[in-house]
Amino acid sequence: MQTVSQIIPAADKPRRVARVFGHTPFLAWLLGAAAAVLLEHLLGETFAGLVGLSKVPVLFGLMILMSKPLLFPGALLYVAVIYLLPLLCVAGLLTRPANLVAAALLRFGPAFAVIVHLALFYGVLHFWADISGYRELTVKFTLIAVLLTLSLNLINGYMGEFSCSHPGFMALGAYGASTFTLTLFVNNPLFGKALLPGFLGPWLFPLGLVFGGLLASLGALLIAIPSFKTRGDYLAIISLAFLFIVKSLLENLPFLGGPRGMGGQPDYAGLPVVFAWTAMGVWIMNNYVRSTLGKSLNAIRDDEAAAEAMSVDTRHTKMTAFMFAAFWAGVAGGLFAHVMRFINPATFGVQRLAEMLAMVYFGGLNSVYGSIVGAVSLNLLGEALRPLELFKWIFIPLLLILVMIFRPTGLLAFREFDAVRLVRPLDRDSQGGAP
Amino acid sequence: MRKIPYLLVAALVAGMICSPLAWSKTRPIKVGINAPITGDNPKVGEGTKFAAEMWLEDVMAAGGIMVGGVRYPVQLVIEDNEYKPESAVKATTKMVIEDEVLVLVGPQASSQAVPAGGVADSYATPMISPWSTNPNTTKDRPYVFRGCFLDPFQGPVVANFIKGEFGFTRAAVLYDVAADYSKGLAEEFKKAWEKINGPGSVVAYESFTTKDTDFSSQLTKIKNSTAEVIFTPQYYSEVALIVPQARDLGWSKPIVGSDSWGSADLVKLCGPACSGLFFSTHYAAAGAAGATKEFIDRYQAKFGYVPDDVGALTWDSLRIVQKAIENTGKLSGKIEQDRKAVRDAMAKIKEFEGITGKMTFTEDGDPIKCAVVVRITESGEFAFHKSVCP
Amino acid sequence: MTYFFQNVVNALQWGSFYALIALGYSMVYSILMLFNFAHGDIFMVGAYIGFGVATLLVAMSAGGAIVLPGWLILILTILISMFLTALLGMFVERVGYRPLRDAPRASAAITGLMIGIILETGNLWLLGARRVSFPSLIQTVTYDVGGVILTNKKIMIVLVALAFMLALHLFVRHSKWGMAMRAMAFDYVVVPLMGVSINTIARMTFAIGSALAAVAGILFSIAYPVLDPYMGIVFGWKAFVAAILGGRGSIMGAALAGFLLGFIEIFVAMAFPSTLRDLIAYSIIMVILVFRPHGFFGEPYSAKLRL
């Protein structure tokens, strides 16, 4: 039983690097990244031309490595000059002021500091994605994947059940939210005329997402209630059956488009919307797993009988966990539907399940960091390896097998994610002010 | 250790010397191919890719596409959409923005073509889907075209053919409920059939799910109904299972199919059980003449088998693309402007002589073209039986 | 009535595949407590190996090198494919499962999934996207028994499947190795201390499971002679359902559950509109599990995923 969190020593950086960057707070890094993306905005195109690239390398030159290796040195130079140089310079130079600012921010309260950091992070992401619509799309899908992975991690990692039903929750959310927006704001062949004027749409879109999420939670009851008695592998089957049932149901409902799917969702899921929901989801889910309720999930995973004896209400805990995780999977599904602007039942099959499981276990069980890392790395890898065509599907599985063999619980398993710790200043004089 | 930076610089300089490959004088015309090379239906991707490679060979042998007196070299950008909608959307976005393709060909299947068509249309990039039969692919999307006829056309063609050929009044339908193509066509057929023979004349309307291989239960049900014919709009690989199973269960009446039967592999997989059956399709390979025959022979010589309908339709779509580019008269080099010009030229194409028939685009970007009904001969060829035009 | 019996025959054939595949799945699941998500793809590889061997033998027969009758080719094909697929199974165990024996079970499940993807893609790469058709080794003969249509293939498939199930049952119940396997299933921590090598048992379990998958693959290709690289996915997931529905620690339970799954699918399609087949079939399975939370023959247990 590997219940005790693994304690992984911080990587021993070379001492000189430690002296320069050891006290660099997260804020300075963000500022460095901001400088890098601003530089890219100003000079990216020109510099790319200078090093012989026809365009700004879209995913840090990874794609160029695969498709046109001859151009890779240019891409490398681009990454070094446009990204690394400003990042390191600005982060290094701003270490001291950033520490002061970070300390000042914390004085307004941890939530305020985190929000300022998030806003800055969004700015960086926005400017980075602004260069190309392809980047933006990749970022959107990646953010949605983060939400999905984390919500699956709640069940498979924190609670320790092997749930296969997540694509089903996602489907419920996607169809719920799409039905909401299509009926209310869009003239379409499925639901007829729009009921409300279109300008309300973006403002009421969150309601649609919540509606989708609640629908998914309702579906989760179908699994949560059997889970009181049925556990482990048998619950895995119930959840798999649930997935098949949802898919079959959607195929058989002609007013939802049947196998032909549902298209024409309005374009409400811009980058800010997706980012805001993802940030909110990660925040709330992180608070959840760090709360008593979340800790009781771990207790149930490690020993249900003991947890029960220690006054954990297992039924209540399980039901909340399933419904909560399903809610976020549903929200992710709703966002997914509005980014794709088309959904069909086949999208939510076992293939998606395999994808989601891979992200959870690659990143790491029982860990918010892990889910973020798993979703981001597999998504970016999936895009960057496009030029490999067929071999992409040999390379990625091999990588995953290696990760599983050398780190069986995933890359960053059993880590606590503490946003306040992340944003605190890192020098000695201002540390007193931090909690 | 100290030499490493120098080596790095040397490598970079070498790389930069090599890189002017990208700076040729006339910028090539890029054509994006969005094909399912992996995923559930890799055969479709293979057919697409092969047809595209053959087309490229032709074009490059001529020195490129001639537009307004200048020959532009052509470059294919082939992306795998894994037979998944989101991957098709990503691939389309990537090709439009990163590769700056002039025209997109594909995705093939409707489940990918519908969302990808939305992307192409929003970026004002002309796209032609050779194989997608769902009306939504092109509907209200001025930049999206298709290369094949639609379900609402094909359904009645088959229904009328059965009525006229056999004079039957009761039909059974067996289709894949999870595949949009099969489901759409099954519905259209049912509608058309009941219009001819009155309500209730589709006496069995049975379905299964993608990847199923056993149809015994559904076929037993059909056999016990009063149906005189089975219509099954399935992919050839499933047909090769359905027909022998029906025969094994004692069904001796006709089975009729749709354009998805149109693969030379059908006969190979199905064997003699399939001979004598009819299906509607885009072209008849056996007894073809002229350009069609030439295409089939070349494809067969190059890749070792008679092309599927996907291959032929992709070929036609690429030729339409080529024609549209030529018809623009001049390429400005500004990608947005050129895309618009190509789109306009494509919409204006009239009576295009393709190997799968004559095509003229409607307002929606759907071609008006004829369907043919072919019969599978005893020697396993698809022989022309009759032609149905709108 | 003939309608009903016809469907019984259909369900018997369909259930045989589920049963055989679930049997192989359950070997690994019951003895080593692992989800073998690569099993469906091992089944696919088994079918392809069978295809290769059979095509080769048929070609040799046709070329006049050695003239073999169809049934002999079939038996040879089954034996050779069983052997080769067993080797593959052992290899999969060595690279994908042995390093993860002490890891969370779900991690091993992921490795299995990934090995499955590699097998599919590798096949696509090696053989191309064209579907292949299994050579027809025996002529189909159709019998009409009071309106119920039978073919010699159907009868053979059910009989061969039953024979293999019986053989496995005897092996597990009455041989020394079988006893070791059962012991391992009972307690894999203490039993190795008694001098039973867990590596040998694991290897053997995978070998037998994969050999059974090969048998299923060949029988499957006889009944449904169109092979494609992704044919194993659905079977993998359904075998997973059947193996667990049968109950942990009960190999024969898995076979029965396989038949049950086949019967449910066929009869639901018979009694209801076939569009709703999956919906109703899986609702039935869900209800079964709600009332029998440990499957049919599984023992109640409170342990969960070993995390």
Side-chain angles (χ1 to χ4, degrees), chain C residues 50-65:
Chain C
F51 159 76
V53 174
T55 317
L56 197 70
L57 288 176
V58 168
M60 275 162 69
S61 279

Side-chain angles (χ1 to χ4, degrees), chain A residues 2 160-161 229-230 233-234 237 240 244-245 248 252 301 353 361 365 390-391 393 397 400-401 404-405 408, chain C residues 29 35 95 100 103 105-107 110 118 121 124-125 241 244 247-248 275 279 289-290 293-294 304-305 307:
Chain A
Q2 285 158 312
E161 296 285 5
K229 264 170 48 184
T230 318
D233 308 348
Y234 302 105
I237 297 300
L240 188 64
F244 286 135
I245 290 170
S248 181
N252 281 296
R301 175 191 66 203
L353 172 65
Y361 288 87
L365 292 173
L390 202 61
F391 299 100
W393 290 115
L400 261 157
I401 291 175
M404 286 293 108
I405 288 176
Chain C
Y29 173 64
F35 296 140
V95 297
L100 285 165
R105 288 172 58 207
S107 305
I110 301 300
I118 293 178
T121 320
L124 194 61
W125 174 50
V241 174
I244 293 170
R248 182 154 93 157
T275 27
L279 184 69
L289 275 174
V290 171
H294 306 288
K304 312 198 45 181
L305 295 181
L307 261 172

Side-chain angles (χ1 to χ4, degrees), chain B residues 74-225:
Chain B
V74 176
Q75 201 180 326
L76 287 182
V77 181
I78 300 179
E79 284 292 338
D80 178 16
N81 64 33
E82 303 160 49
Y83 216 71
K84 290 186 213 153
E86 76 265 31
S87 189
V89 165
K90 285 183 195 165
T92 306
T93 315
K94 175 187 172 266
M95 287 193 287
V96 169
I97 292 173
E98 291 307 315
D99 300 318
E100 299 192 328
V101 296
L102 184 60
V103 194
L104 289 157
V105 176
Q108 304 284 14
S110 298
S111 55
Q112 288 94 265
V114 173
V119 174
D121 194 55
S122 67
Y123 284 115
T125 305
M127 169 182 134
I128 179 162
S129 170
W131 202 53
S132 155
T133 53
N134 188 333
N136 289 338
T137 307
T138 54
K139 205 169 172 205
D140 298 328
R141 288 171 179 171
Y143 278 87
V144 185
F145 299 83
R146 81 173 87 220
C148 56
F149 43 64
L150 281 81
D151 299 342
F153 170 64
Q154 193 178 186
V157 165
V158 180
N160 289 324
F161 163 75
I162 296 174
K163 185 73 187 168
E165 185 77 19
F166 305 108
F168 293 149
T169 53
R170 293 180 307 276
V173 179
L174 177 62
Y175 68 100
D176 178 351
V177 68
D180 58 349
Y181 165 77
S182 311
K183 167 110 182 184
L185 195 49
E187 272 169 7
E188 291 297 336
F189 173 82
K190 189 175 181 213
K191 226 189 275 169
W193 185 259
E194 293 192 330
K195 210 161 124 195
I196 306 171
N197 297 301
S201 55
V202 172
V203 288
Y205 194 59
E206 294 300 314
S207 69
F208 55 92
T209 297
T210 314
K211 299 247 160 208
D212 272 4
T213 48
D214 189 280
F215 313 102
S216 54
S217 174
Q218 293 88 335
L219 287 167
T220 307
K221 222 171 179 179
I222 291 174
K223 197 187 150 220
N224 278 28
S225 71

Side-chain angles (χ1 to χ4, degrees), chain A residues 234, chain C residues 244-250 292 294-300:
Chain A
Y234 302 105
Chain C
I244 293 170
L245 200 59
R248 182 154 93 157
S250 166
R292 286 203 59 88
H294 306 288
F296 287 115
F297 303 97
E299 299 130 33

Side-chain angles (χ1 to χ4, degrees), chain A residues 267-292:
Chain A
D267 192 9
Y268 294 156
L271 188 57
V273 177
V274 177
F275 181 83
W277 277 93
T278 307
M280 195 160 82
V282 172
W283 193 335
I284 296 176
M285 276 190 268
N286 188 41
N287 281 349
Y288 174 77
V289 295
R290 297 177 74 200
S291 68
T292 327

